Amino acid sequence: MAIRNEARSCDAFVKLKAAYDDRKAVLKAWKDSGRGVVCIAGYDVPEEIILAAGMLPFRVTGYYGGARVSADKYLEYSFGAIWKGLWESIAEDYAGLMDHLVFCSSSDMFLKLFYYFRTMQRLEPERPLPELKYLDYELVEHVFKSQERNERELRDLIETVEGWSGKKITSDDLRAAIALCNEYRAALTEFSALRGKENCRVTGSEALVVIGGSMYMEKREAIDLIRAVTEAAKGWPAAEGERIYYVGSPQETTEVYELAEANGLNIVGEDHDMGARMFDTQVRTTIEPVSALAERLLMRMPSSEKGSIAARVKAIGDKLAETGADGFLTYMNNNDEAYVWDYPSIRKNVLEPRGIPSYTVQKQTWPLTEPETLSQQFRDFAATIKEGQ
Amino acid sequence: MAEEKKAYETRSIKRLEATKTASAYQKEWFKSLKPRVEAGEPFALVGADAPMEILRAMDIPFVVYQWWTAICAAKQMNTQMYGYIRDAGYRDDICSYCSTAYACALDPHPEEGPWGGLPKPSILITQSECAVMGKIENLMAEAFGAEQYTMQRYYEPVITDKWWEKTIEHWDQLANERRRAFFERELRDLIAFLEQKTGRMFDMNKLREIMDYVNEQDYWYRKTRDLIAETKPCPVTISDTVNAVMQAQWQRGTKWATEHAKSLYEEVKFRADNNMPAVPNERIRLMWIGRGLWFNLAFYNYFEEKYGAAFIWSMYLGLAADAYGRENYESDPLKALGTRFSMITDFLHTPPFNSEWFLKEARHNQVDGVVLLTSENCMNNGDFYYNMVKTLEDNGFPVCLLRADPADAKKWNQETMTAAVEDLIVNRIEPKLK
């Protein structure tokens, strides 16, 4: 299981994996190309706006190359693995490579990091930090007031990006970028059908590579490669392992998925933005483009950070049905615990009525402190699901 | 539910009448609240950042649920409370500051809670500051059968240097225009919700009256804070002021609270004028940054007796002095109020607003060192302590960082925490005094 030989011998997959594995190289190459790169920290910054300005959107993820020395020095213990990794990337690993960085309110932790880096610009002016921008959406309440507010934030972003690129963004530019990104999301949706119950051809870790790798490519190339992998994967052997839906801390590498797969599980869907949530809703093309982009922010699957318990119960119920998962895994990093407060309601209203077994892993760190224990937990969970069947 | 007994003394020495008066008033107020709620009057449970003045103007009684946590902790009831949360399938070791009221909703004997227990709210007004707070508020609303109203937040795009010089007279220079307009609209939306929910009409003149009281109340707090800052040895410690201020702030904007603030000042002034130091052997003045150690307010007394180290500053009086008042509001009370309720979090938790203010207060209050309590199990915890510690220490104020849960006593280690503060006193402050 995990990433299989069939995937490793597929040219398109190999290219996606190269981008996935060395994001910094992509950032360097893009910066050297002189096209202008806008870095993104958050899950709700529309790439369409950046592409419409002729710039390249680069999603910043955590540093996984070793100890996070800077993060350990500057951040409180309440920052879990994802947030420490992000700090390390921005403050150290990508230092000097980023010119512009847009944070957004997908999680309150992004706001904290924005405030911290804004303060760092005063505290250590010699540190090579990018120009910062924050987009403060309302993502919890799905009401007109939120739509209006979010549109205003996006218009602000457009103005900012126009300043960075020196190019006026027209409605036609935005429509073209929306069409391209919709095509990209459609390609990923088609690929993800291969994680389905009837004809499961890709493993969770293979899916993470394709989804994540495609983020670090220009969209046209990404679409072509995703389609090529999709075609190839139709001929791959069935992906084995008990089918589970993953809820919890974003997985920016395949480590945890591969561990799950090595112990009898296969993650067939997830609620995080390095996986399926990233492309789960299209942008409407029949309405004014900024309005459509703002609408998507509220139409996406609610994240645990920004969704009410009731909204999460409904969304998880839908996703379990859509993916045909036979088990439900909640995996939380230390201090990344919004999920704890969703879970009993999900269990009561979705899992128990449908007879879906669940397992919760908590207080995880990076690097994993006890992979053997985690392996055993995954094995036990796989056995429980099998027994139930 | 009975109070749990601890191996160490948890009740602080109460020197001031104002502290006793505030507690007595709160108890009576609470007693009078129950029959009102039982008779069907609206009752709101609110987050600490909610604009309480709006509720007061509509005569809707309220309890701040984080303050309720403090009351339960002081009564040594919280550890048992969190057991109810655990039994319901949640974790009992995180988010304690925000989850006590939810635990009360699960308590099979709520009437045994502090002051006869928390009445059942019909309205829950929140401004969720973190992902978890929003979830707990969802659960509270469901468990109490209350209607939840969430006010939106908006980040602070502008750094205002020396914000404390603008809050009272020049509040229109705080934040940018978009943010001020945003929060004014939030207040108007809240008013509309409350009118619809309660059938009561909001009265702007009543709000003006309340804001006048708040301004006067905070005027007395400023005088008290300044008096404490300038008087050596100090006439009171935070064991005296924390409860006196926090409980009166609960009644902020009333005649009683204003008079109470004045009486607090007069009592402190009397002690200062008559050379009545709180710690007769005062050698060291300390600042306590962070939430009150509610279950163990006597913690501070040990250092007074042994080292002549007096904790003289806490955010409760400091913030009341610098952050709440809004003069010249007459033309636009809602906009003025908006700059208050939206920015308290910035002042306390957002860098560099927080660090610069703490430094200003450390200097003004002539402290020798700082104890900074960081709430161990709060997911929202993160005020950029690195920056706070560096700002204070670079300016000559050594800092001791304590990691603890201010609401739940079960993880508190009296010995370790005492040793940490002793280390600050003995190894970092005393050598400088010699």
Side-chain angles (χ1 to χ4, degrees):
Chain A
M1 286 292 287
I3 297 173
R4 299 164 299 172
N5 288 337
E6 289 77 8
R8 291 183 192 279
S9 57
C10 167
D11 285 347
F13 185 90
V14 169
K15 284 182 184 159
L16 287 159
K17 189 161 188 314
Y20 185 79
D21 288 345
D22 197 351
R23 298 163 207 179
K24 188 176 174 182
V26 174
L27 177 59
K28 271 186 189 160
W30 284 4
K31 185 174 167 61
D32 291 346
S33 77
R35 281 185 53 195
V37 182
V38 176
C39 294
I40 293 171
Y43 311 128
D44 295 281
V45 178
E47 293 187 334
E48 288 88 341
I49 289 173
I50 297 160
L51 292 168
M55 298 179 85
L56 294 164
F58 181 88
R59 169 90 73 86
V60 184
T61 53
Y63 172 72
Y64 294 90
R68 288 139 167 203
V69 178
S70 176
D72 288 338
K73 175 180 173 184
Y74 290 99
L75 299 184
E76 291 88 342
Y77 48 88
S78 54
F79 286 77
I82 288 289
W83 311 110
K84 284 193 166 182
L86 190 58
W87 174 279
E88 200 71 23
S89 288
I90 296 169
E92 304 293 336
D93 196 36
Y94 294 169
L97 291 175
M98 297 185 296
D99 296 317
H100 318 288
L101 176 59
V102 181
F103 288 87
C104 75
S105 54
S106 311
S107 158
D108 296 299
M109 299 307 276
F110 286 118
L111 176 58
K112 280 191 191 299
L113 287 177
F114 166 77
Y115 281 145
Y116 283 28
F117 278 115
R118 188 171 73 172
T119 305
M120 288 290 280
Q121 288 176 327
R122 289 180 152 208
L123 208 58
E124 298 179 7
E126 69 287 355
R127 186 181 277 276
L129 289 172
E131 190 176 340
L132 305 176
K133 167 90 183 155
Y134 186 74
L135 298 176
D136 200 352
Y137 304 120
E138 170 56 41
L139 299 171
V140 180
E141 284 197 286
H142 291 205
V143 292
F144 175 64
K145 187 165 75 172
S146 307
Q147 170 73 14
E148 266 194 322
R149 169 181 174 164
N150 296 346
E151 281 185 28
R152 202 167 52 235
E153 291 297 297
L154 292 182
R155 290 188 202 287
D156 254 12
L157 177 65
I158 288 171
E159 208 178 303
T160 303
V161 173
E162 283 177 340
W164 288 340
S165 66
K167 179 186 183 306
K168 182 86 189 149
I169 298 173
T170 65
S171 280
D172 284 347
D173 293 331
L174 274 179
R175 283 183 209 286
I178 287 170
L180 182 65
C181 290
N182 276 349
E183 192 182 340
Y184 167 62
R185 286 186 280 264
L188 283 172
T189 305
E190 200 181 326
F191 164 75
S192 287
L194 296 174
R195 300 171 83 183
K197 188 153 196 163
E198 300 310 319
N199 188 26
C200 187
R201 297 287 149 180
V202 294
T203 65
S205 53
E206 289 162 354
L208 278 195
V209 169
V210 172
I211 297 164
S214 71
M215 293 180 201
Y216 298 93
M217 290 182 167
E218 293 210 38
K219 287 286 173 285
R220 178 52 55 199
E221 186 188 7
I223 291 166
D224 291 345
L225 291 176
I226 294 163
R227 284 178 179 155
V229 173
T230 306
E231 276 313 300
K234 285 174 186 168
W236 294 352
E240 291 166 359
E242 304 305 326
R243 299 174 55 76
I244 58 166
Y245 188 78
Y246 174 103
V247 162
S249 303
Q251 293 299 324
E252 297 183 332
T253 70
T254 54
E255 186 182 15
V256 170
Y257 276 43
E258 292 198 60
L259 199 64
E261 287 157 7
N263 290 286
L265 301 170
N266 185 26
I267 295 167
V268 296
E270 57 277 302
D271 74 338
H272 66 78
D273 283 80
M274 288 304 287
R277 185 175 182 269
M278 189 267 281
F279 54 90
D280 82 342
T281 306
Q282 293 287 36
V283 178
R284 264 211 287 172
T285 54
T286 52
I287 57 173
E288 193 275 323
V290 176
S291 190
L293 289 169
E295 181 188 70
R296 178 174 185 261
L297 299 173
L298 295 175
M299 299 299 289
R300 300 179 70 200
M301 178 194 186
S303 69
S304 184
E305 294 256 342
K306 292 290 171 185
S308 66
I309 291 176
R312 286 283 292 172
V313 166
K314 162 134 194 11
I316 296 294
D318 292 348
K319 289 294 173 190
L320 283 168
E322 193 182 305
T323 55
D326 298 316
F328 179 82
L329 174 69
T330 308
Y331 181 101
M332 285 168 283
N333 289 333
N334 201 27
N335 277 307
D336 205 1
E337 284 137 347
Y339 312 93
V340 167
W341 301 93
D342 284 336
Y343 174 70
S345 300
I346 292 171
R347 186 183 56 202
K348 181 181 161 199
N349 295 296
V350 178
L351 303 176
E352 285 176 355
R354 298 187 197 178
I356 297 175
S358 62
Y359 197 83
T360 299
V361 177
Q362 306 194 46
K363 300 182 182 177
Q364 292 300 301
T365 56
W366 186 88
L368 295 173
T369 44
E370 292 178 353
E372 299 78 17
T373 308
L374 195 55
S375 294
Q376 186 60 52
Q377 288 170 325
F378 286 154
R379 269 198 298 280
D380 292 346
F381 185 36
T384 305
I385 297 172
K386 214 176 183 115
E387 238 170 64
Q389 287 165 348
Chain B
M1 183 189 311
E3 290 188 28
E4 193 186 324
K5 292 276 178 258
K6 290 278 175 302
Y8 47 87
E9 181 53 64
T10 58
R11 288 177 191 270
S12 61
I13 300 160
K14 289 188 178 61
R15 298 176 188 88
L16 298 182
E17 272 308 306
T19 311
K20 294 173 199 159
T21 318
S23 298
Y25 184 87
Q26 282 297 83
K27 264 188 213 168
E28 281 310 304
W29 179 83
F30 222 82
K31 245 189 222 168
S32 70
L33 173 65
K34 292 200 110 177
R36 286 175 67 184
V37 176
E38 279 161 15
E41 274 203 55
F43 166 54
L45 195 62
V46 303
D49 293 333
M52 299 155 208
E53 288 78 0
I54 298 290
L55 293 159
R56 191 167 314 286
M58 297 178 76
D59 197 23
I60 300 170
F62 58 86
V63 166
V64 176
Y65 69 76
Q66 289 93 346
W67 294 357
W68 185 249
T69 296
I71 304 288
C72 293
K75 302 280 179 198
Q76 310 298 327
M77 292 178 171
N78 275 355
T79 299
Q80 187 175 341
M81 289 282 193
Y82 301 130
Y84 301 132
I85 289 180
R86 186 186 56 237
D87 294 346
Y90 302 93
R91 271 178 53 186
D92 65 346
D93 62 337
I94 54 173
C95 310
S96 55
Y97 215 66
C98 294
S99 62
T100 310
Y102 175 50
C104 290
L106 304 175
D107 185 349
H109 305 290
E111 69 286 354
E112 292 175 16
W115 300 340
L118 186 66
K120 213 172 167 184
S122 51
I123 304 168
L124 180 63
I125 299 170
T126 62
Q127 199 193 11
S128 309
E129 280 178 38
C130 80
V132 168
M133 211 184 268
K135 306 280 181 201
I136 295 171
E137 288 159 353
N138 290 164
L139 293 168
M140 268 195 271
E142 190 186 349
F144 282 121
E147 188 165 351
Q148 183 177 1
Y149 183 86
T150 305
M151 301 185 71
Q152 293 191 4
R153 295 159 57 218
Y154 197 76
Y155 86 116
E156 177 48 65
V158 181
I159 295 173
T160 308
D161 290 317
K162 297 187 177 177
W163 58 261
W164 54 90
E165 291 180 359
K166 299 192 171 75
T167 41
I168 295 162
E169 300 277 348
H170 306 290
W171 53 265
D172 56 332
Q173 292 172 25
L174 283 174
N176 65 0
E177 178 55 32
R178 179 189 285 190
R179 197 178 194 227
R180 287 199 297 274
F182 177 86
F183 283 109
E184 184 195 351
R185 178 175 166 172
E186 282 302 294
L187 290 177
R188 289 185 187 280
D189 288 351
L190 172 66
I191 290 167
F193 163 77
L194 291 172
E195 286 182 332
Q196 195 177 21
K197 174 82 184 164
T198 64
R200 296 178 184 184
M201 187 175 147
F202 175 73
D203 179 351
M204 191 66 94
N205 288 317
K206 179 82 177 150
L207 178 66
R208 288 195 171 94
E209 194 181 297
I210 289 164
M211 289 185 74
D212 283 341
Y213 275 133
V214 173
N215 284 338
E216 195 185 334
Q217 188 177 346
D218 294 333
Y219 163 79
W220 292 114
Y221 289 146
R222 268 195 302 289
K223 281 181 72 80
T224 309
R225 188 269 316 269
D226 291 348
L227 183 62
I228 290 170
E230 287 148 18
T231 310
K232 277 179 113 170
C234 196
V236 287
T237 69
I238 60 173
S239 306
D240 306 305
T241 55
V242 163
N243 270 322
V245 174
M246 196 185 88
Q247 302 206 54
Q249 280 280 60
W250 192 327
Q251 305 294 343
R252 191 171 64 239
T254 63
K255 189 165 185 280
W256 176 83
T258 306
E259 286 172 354
H260 183 270
K262 186 181 177 203
S263 75
L264 171 66
Y265 170 74
E266 287 170 346
E267 208 177 348
V268 176
K269 179 85 166 61
F270 179 84
R271 293 180 66 91
D273 290 347
N274 291 282
N275 193 24
M276 297 166 68
V279 181
N281 60 332
E282 180 186 302
R283 295 166 53 241
I284 292 166
R285 289 160 74 93
L286 295 172
M287 188 175 191
W288 179 269
I289 296 181
R291 294 164 178 161
L293 198 57
W294 300 114
F295 56 81
N296 188 9
L297 285 170
F299 180 62
Y300 313 112
N301 298 141
Y302 170 82
F303 307 100
E304 295 170 0
E305 286 155 20
K306 186 162 180 190
Y307 297 102
F311 281 91
I312 59 128
W313 189 94
S314 84
M315 66 175 181
Y316 296 96
L317 178 59
L319 208 63
D322 280 342
Y324 284 84
R326 292 291 182 277
E327 300 287 352
N328 312 321
Y329 67 82
E330 293 76 7
S331 62
D332 216 337
L334 289 177
K335 201 166 264 188
L337 183 60
T339 66
R340 158 131 42 83
F341 93 89
S342 62
M343 295 199 74
I344 296 284
T345 300
D346 295 332
F347 299 154
L348 276 181
H349 302 297
T350 301
F353 295 90
N354 53 3
S355 54
E356 290 180 358
W357 182 59
F358 292 134
L359 175 60
K360 184 272 278 190
E361 286 290 277
R363 285 176 170 149
H364 182 40
N365 284 269
Q366 308 176 66
V367 302
D368 301 296
V370 178
V371 177
L372 170 51
L373 178 78
T374 75
S375 303
E376 192 166 38
N377 69 5
C378 175
M379 193 179 150
N380 193 31
N381 182 24
D383 301 353
F384 206 1
Y385 295 130
Y386 171 85
N387 175 53
M388 281 164 59
V389 172
K390 182 170 171 46
T391 302
L392 289 162
E393 294 202 332
D394 284 357
N395 286 282
F397 302 102
V399 180
C400 160
L401 214 62
L402 289 186
R403 283 175 56 171
D405 179 348
D408 188 357
K410 76 171 173 285
K411 282 186 288 178
W412 176 256
N413 185 324
Q414 180 86 349
E415 215 170 292
T416 315
M417 296 299 166
T418 303
V421 179
E422 283 186 320
D423 178 63
L424 171 77
I425 294 170
V426 173
N427 297 321
R428 302 188 66 197
I429 296 175
E430 286 190 331
K432 280 170 53 182
L433 300 178
K434 282 171 189 161

